């Protein structure tokens, strides 16, 4: 998986022991923090505390039927809460810590807040790779549930400043810019065949190569779809036009690769047409262009393969 390593740019992140302690104490008190991960920033709470988890739903204004991902320092900890099958063993050994979430059958009485799982008998589990997330999790006596740290339906944050803008009173641990920049790939392992519920940096091909099988089709699968995969999501407040061939008066341009458009304002996701780079820049670019001074955001076509699939998935939702 050397390609994955190069796709996950190395970044050294530092946190003082005081800041670490303060964040952990906040979580132990049942309060929320802004948590840096390699994908996007999370809004983290003690997964075992209904009261703490309820604060996430209130602050994000998230629908209660939309369950949360539980974060662990390693696979051994995750196995205390869910039943691992062979696929889970293989995928966790291959990709954890990293941007992969597995849906598995919850262990009965595992203690995870029922609010966090929205009453399902499954639990989404993930082991993040970000060094600060790792440090935090390793020092806690409980797992953390953490949705992306944005108000429901708005863009996922990839810097501590984004989180602060949405939630000024929140304690946010600054871990720099997220290296992946898109939420984790979600794979459902509870059906007859694994299915990708949300595309991400880890592609269908990566998962199939590791499992030596062909993944099922989400549309045809008997498993429940990720309830959070509502059609409209990740949305800026001005209109978004995709796959543009021309530019309209007053629009800002979200470009990809070289081109001949001239716009009043432009952000290029990747001048060299590198899809990983584009994925990493996507949410920050949308946040910057999401301003009432523009009539809308015009987006150039982005190839729909590899991680381009995940980029187009987020763009389609943002324009729905
Ligand atoms: O990269 C990530 O996964 C980030 C970082 C913070 O870890 N988290 C994240 O969480 O994206 P959130 O809440 O924004 O998205 C979680 C998705 C939702 O679409 C939710 O419906 C789905 O996971 N999900 C959670 N539990 C599930 C379950 N038991 N079965 C199916 N889908 C589930
Ligand atoms: Mg989200």
């Amino acid at each position: 998986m050397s390609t994955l390593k190069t796709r996950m740019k190395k970044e050294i992140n530092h946190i003082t022991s005081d800041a670490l302690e303060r964040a952990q104490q906040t979580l132990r008190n049942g309060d929320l923090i802004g948590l840096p991960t390699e994908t996007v920033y999370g809004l983290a709470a003690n997964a075992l505390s209904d009261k703490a988890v309820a604060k996430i739903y209130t602050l994000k204004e998230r629908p209660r039927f939309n369950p949360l991902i539980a974060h662990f320092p390693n696979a051994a900890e995750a196995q205390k809460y869910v039943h691992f099958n062979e696929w889970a063993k293989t995928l966790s050994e291959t990709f954890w810590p990293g941007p992969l979430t597995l849906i598995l059958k919850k262990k009965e009485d595992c203690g995870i807040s029922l609010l966090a799982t929205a009453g399902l008998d499954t639990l989404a589990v993930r082991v993040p790779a970000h060094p600060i997330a790792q440090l935090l999790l390793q020092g806690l006596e409980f797992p953390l549930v953490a949705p992306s740290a944005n108000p429901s339906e708005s863009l996922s944050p990839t810097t501590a400043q984004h989180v602060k803008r949405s939630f000024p009173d929140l304690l946010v641990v600054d871990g720099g810019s997220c290296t992946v920049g898109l939420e984790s790939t979600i794979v459902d392992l509870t059906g007859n065949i694994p299915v990708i519920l949300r595309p991400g940096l880890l592609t269908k091909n990566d998962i199939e190569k590791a499992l030596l099988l062909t993944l099922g089709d989400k549309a045809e699968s008997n498993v429940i779809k990720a309830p959070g995969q509502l059609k409209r999501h990740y949305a800026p407040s001005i209109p978004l036009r995709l796959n543009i061939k021309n530019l309209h008066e007053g629009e800002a341009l979200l470009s990809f690769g070289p081109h001949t458009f001239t716009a009043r304002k432009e952000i290029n996701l990747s001048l060299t047409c590198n899809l990983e780079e584009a994925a990493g820049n996507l949410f920050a670019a949308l946040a910057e262009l999401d301003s009432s001074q523009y009539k809308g955001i015009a987006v150039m076509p982005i190839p729909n393969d590899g991680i381009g699939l995940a980029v187009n998935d987020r763009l389609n939702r943002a324009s729905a």
Side-chain angles (χ1 to χ4, degrees):
M1 291 296 136
S2 61
T3 54
L4 175 65
K5 286 238 170 69
T6 51
R7 272 187 269 161
M8 303 239 343
K9 290 162 266 171
K10 272 250 153 36
E11 199 166 278
I12 309 297
N13 295 280
H14 301 285
I15 183 171
T16 63
S17 53
D18 278 0
L20 186 65
E21 197 126 309
R22 186 155 162 245
Q24 286 167 334
Q25 206 45 54
T26 303
L27 291 162
R28 287 192 186 102
N29 292 343
D31 285 320
L32 310 180
I33 67 158
L35 171 80
T37 85
E38 72 279 22
T39 57
V40 299
Y41 274 74
L43 184 63
N46 177 350
L48 309 183
S49 161
D50 287 328
K51 249 174 133 174
V53 174
K55 290 180 186 170
I56 292 182
Y57 285 88
T58 306
L59 188 61
K60 270 189 70 111
E61 297 183 35
R62 182 181 177 103
R64 299 271 167 144
F65 57 79
N66 191 359
L68 304 172
I69 299 173
H71 297 65
F72 302 87
N74 51 54
E77 277 303 311
Q79 288 198 58
K80 295 181 183 168
Y81 296 83
V82 287
H83 295 286
F84 264 49
N85 51 28
E86 283 307 314
W87 296 324
K89 279 181 198 140
T90 305
L91 291 181
S92 61
E93 278 163 20
T94 315
F95 299 114
W96 278 356
L100 174 69
T101 295
L102 303 177
I103 308 292
L104 291 164
K105 287 274 183 227
K106 204 168 68 169
K107 284 191 177 166
E108 246 176 87
D109 304 321
C110 68
I112 298 282
S113 160
L114 295 180
L115 195 52
T117 50
L120 299 173
D121 63 354
T122 56
L123 177 65
V125 293
R126 155 160 147 76
V127 173
H130 194 293
I132 292 178
Q134 273 292 327
L135 273 176
L136 265 158
L137 285 163
Q138 284 165 19
L140 290 170
E141 308 71 39
F142 45 81
L144 295 176
V145 279
S148 49
N150 51 280
S152 209
E153 294 208 350
S154 66
L155 293 165
S156 294
T158 55
T159 65
Q161 289 70 36
H162 290 159
V163 184
K164 270 285 179 197
R165 220 174 292 154
S166 304
F167 307 121
D169 298 332
L170 184 74
L171 173 67
V172 183
V173 179
D174 193 342
S177 278
C178 301
T179 51
V180 174
L182 283 187
E183 302 89 343
S184 58
T185 304
I186 303 181
V187 185
D188 189 321
L189 299 178
T190 62
N192 321 327
I193 189 88
V195 177
I196 292 187
L197 297 185
R198 178 172 74 183
L201 177 77
L202 289 174
T203 62
K204 186 165 189 273
N205 192 34
D206 293 325
I207 309 288
E208 290 184 338
K209 264 194 16 226
L211 293 179
L212 303 173
L213 52 73
T214 305
L215 293 183
D217 186 353
K218 179 170 144 186
E220 290 164 16
S221 75
N222 54 349
V223 298
I224 38 150
K225 295 176 186 166
Q229 297 295 78
L230 309 168
K231 182 112 173 72
R232 186 182 161 84
H233 203 190
Y234 316 106
S237 58
I238 56 175
L240 197 70
R241 273 198 318 125
L242 305 184
N243 298 312
I244 58 139
K245 297 198 174 66
N246 48 41
L247 200 60
H248 295 174
E249 179 77 33
E251 279 182 330
L253 176 65
L254 187 60
S255 51
F256 178 78
H259 63 85
T260 55
F261 294 117
T262 33
R264 183 149 68 101
K265 168 81 179 175
E266 171 184 354
I267 298 180
N268 201 309
L269 288 174
S270 171
L271 279 167
T272 57
C273 296
N274 178 319
L275 284 169
E276 277 91 49
E277 185 185 21
N281 291 332
L282 179 68
F283 286 139
L286 285 174
E288 192 177 329
L289 298 180
D290 185 5
S291 155
S292 56
Q293 52 180 316
Y294 311 120
K295 286 230 175 76
I297 304 172
V299 189
M300 284 176 62
I302 292 167
N304 207 28
D305 45 52
I307 192 179
L309 231 113
V311 173
N312 283 314
D313 169 73
R314 305 310 191 272
L315 283 170
N316 279 316
R317 281 173 211 292
S319 69

